[in-house]
Amino acid sequence: MKNKILLLPGDGVGPEITTEAVKILDYIIGKSIVDVSYTEGDIGGVAIDNHNNPFPDETLQKARDSSSILLGAVGTIKHSNNPNNMKPESGLLALRKNLDLYINLRPIFILPSLISCSSLKPEVIKDIDIIIVRELVSDIYFGEPRGFDNDSRSAFNTMRYSEDEVERIASYAFDLSETRKSIITSVDKANVLETSQLWRKCVDKIGKKFPDVKIDHMYIDNAAMQLINNPSQFDVILTGNLFGDILSDEASMLTGSIGMLPSASLSKSQGVYEPIHGSAPDIAGKNIVNPIAMILSLGMMFRYSFKRDDISDSIDNAVNTVLSNGYLTKDLSDSNDFTSTSQMGDLILEEFKKNV
Ligand code: IPM
Ligand code: MG
């Protein structure tokens, strides 16, 4: 278990970006730099095709046997009208729930060489270094009851949080904040929602144990605006599952391309690492997707699951160097002479070999 990695390439661009990350992983294993091994499994649309189930038992078993999982993306056009439990996305949600991956970390950073890719002015974004801490296994995503009413002309979902669920994610965020700037922005909708009133109360309770950390409570609508208006005011953003989903897509755009950003989803003992972008079926199979979010996700795996910050730093540095040398994938480039997915993977591997 300790050194086992499960690869779940998934759908759309997932397999292509997985191939590029595995180039680095194979090098690490081949040179015995870290003692890890990997196996593969199905999730999402590909699992529906192969096993008639977006999260087959076999995948759950493999996931339980692994210390960490590298996941590409899930989502297909052909299964998008399936009932909820047969949609590719439900495979991802089942993975999160079954492994109790309650901590979702989404770092939002901007590399100096990419400042011009953002739609915002350079002076607005140049100093951003934000980490979104999103609760991942509760909220309206999982709350019961849910469903369509009998006549299917109305439908309902339940937004629900318990004190324990809020306190454990808040504790993680406060611990993290102490290693950073000691400012937490907790995002909710406490002017309207009871779940958010509970959220605020629990965040304040945990906050009492961290007198040096400053807590700012912010409503989600205001936070969405502030992220565009003045993003450098943020350091750790702590929020629930639904608001975190929305804010992280928004925040990713500060950086110019969602194709750059990795994420980690952690339980007490395991981690799933995946790009924050989706399966992008429109560009799949064309060798044009940006593999960097996936490669940086592999980097996060070495940092969080294997406590090898040195490997993680080497991966980050390799990515930085390749981009600063002017190699840009289609999403980042304004010319027709862009770097393909596989070239980008090769270039990053070559840099990695030099500095690992
Ligand atoms: C994400 C995705 C997922 C989510 C989908 C694919 C279920 O948007 O990881 O942000 O909503 O959590
Ligand atoms: Mg999302």
Side-chain angles (χ1 to χ4, degrees):
M1 149 107 181
K2 205 166 152 271
N3 295 333
K4 272 200 192 156
I5 297 170
L6 174 63
L7 304 177
L8 297 175
D11 305 320
V13 297
E16 290 165 78
I17 56 177
T18 304
T19 302
E20 301 315 311
V22 167
K23 286 177 181 169
I24 296 180
L25 188 55
D26 279 339
Y27 182 79
I28 291 172
I29 294 171
K31 293 275 175 202
S32 306
I33 300 170
V34 188
D35 174 25
V36 291
S37 64
Y38 63 84
T39 175
E40 227 179 276
D42 286 341
I43 193 167
V46 64
I48 298 175
D49 292 340
N50 293 342
H51 313 266
N52 203 31
N53 181 347
F55 190 58
D57 290 345
E58 196 184 311
T59 303
L60 173 59
Q61 200 46 54
K62 285 181 182 172
R64 290 217 162 108
D65 291 343
S66 310
S67 66
S68 59
I69 297 172
L70 188 66
L71 191 147
V74 298
T76 55
I77 295 166
K78 76 170 176 183
H79 301 105
S80 62
N81 291 324
N82 285 4
N84 255 355
N85 62 349
M86 284 296 276
K87 283 197 207 305
E89 289 79 0
S90 75
L92 180 60
L93 298 177
L95 173 72
R96 291 174 179 171
K97 193 74 180 171
N98 274 285
L99 300 190
D100 198 27
L101 302 162
Y102 68 99
I103 304 159
N104 184 219
L105 302 179
R106 299 190 162 185
I108 309 294
F109 51 84
I110 178 139
L111 303 177
S113 53
L114 296 184
I115 285 194
S116 65
C117 297
S118 173
S119 53
L120 298 187
K121 296 191 197 98
E123 61 270 26
V124 175
I125 52 158
K126 69 177 189 330
D127 294 323
I128 61 169
D129 173 16
I130 302 172
I131 186 155
I132 298 179
V133 179
R134 169 188 176 197
E135 197 288 330
L136 202 60
V137 294
S138 184
D139 201 351
I140 197 166
Y141 274 63
F142 295 97
E144 296 286 347
R146 61 186 294 164
F148 288 95
D149 287 310
N150 284 340
D151 60 2
S152 288
R153 296 189 59 197
S154 56
F156 53 97
N157 290 87
T158 302
M159 186 177 257
R160 183 184 294 278
Y161 263 116
S162 70
E163 288 183 344
D164 291 350
E165 287 167 340
V166 181
E167 286 176 14
R168 67 177 181 166
I169 189 72
S171 299
Y172 186 91
F174 277 96
D175 277 333
L176 177 67
S177 179
E178 282 197 315
T179 69
R180 297 174 52 104
K181 292 186 192 148
S182 293
I183 312 169
I184 286 193
T185 310
S186 172
V187 175
D188 64 35
K189 188 71 184 170
N191 49 347
V192 179
L193 303 174
E194 283 82 356
T195 45
S196 286
Q197 291 154 16
L198 182 99
W199 178 276
R200 230 173 234 226
K201 185 188 86 182
C202 294
V203 170
D204 282 333
K205 176 177 163 198
I206 300 298
K208 291 217 166 67
K209 297 188 206 155
F210 297 84
D212 300 336
V213 177
K214 180 171 173 292
I215 313 172
D216 279 330
H217 294 286
M218 201 180 271
Y219 298 137
I220 174 69
D221 48 351
N222 185 25
M225 179 187 79
Q226 297 290 339
L227 256 182
I228 301 294
N229 186 45
N230 179 15
S232 55
Q233 71 183 286
F234 296 105
D235 187 52
V236 172
I237 296 180
L238 165 63
T239 190
N241 205 346
L242 180 64
F243 299 152
D245 180 46
I246 299 166
L247 276 190
S248 59
D249 266 30
E250 186 193 0
S252 75
M253 271 298 114
L254 302 173
T255 75
S257 173
I258 197 170
M260 291 294 299
L261 296 177
S263 76
S265 305
L266 310 173
S267 70
K268 299 262 180 244
S269 58
Q270 287 177 294
V272 173
Y273 302 86
E274 59 178 311
I276 81 164
H277 64 72
S279 60
D282 50 323
I283 59 165
K286 297 185 179 160
N287 202 20
I288 58 175
V289 60
N290 184 348
I292 293 179
M294 186 64 156
I295 290 172
L296 295 176
S297 296
L298 179 70
M300 286 187 92
M301 174 185 287
F302 282 101
R303 196 178 301 285
Y304 289 93
S305 283
F306 301 121
K307 310 287 175 229
R308 287 294 300 261
D309 287 10
D310 57 327
I311 307 281
S312 188
D313 290 344
S314 296
I315 293 177
D316 293 356
N317 291 337
V319 167
N320 255 316
T321 307
V322 171
L323 292 170
S324 324
N325 289 344
Y327 296 99
L328 299 174
T329 41
K330 189 159 190 279
D331 51 316
L332 300 171
S333 166
D334 40 25
S335 99
N336 276 332
D337 183 25
F338 53 82
T339 306
S340 72
T341 307
S342 50
Q343 281 166 336
M344 185 53 97
D346 291 340
L347 288 162
I348 295 171
L349 174 63
E350 285 318 308
E351 273 313 312
F352 176 74
K353 286 181 187 169
K354 285 186 215 160
N355 70 51
V356 66

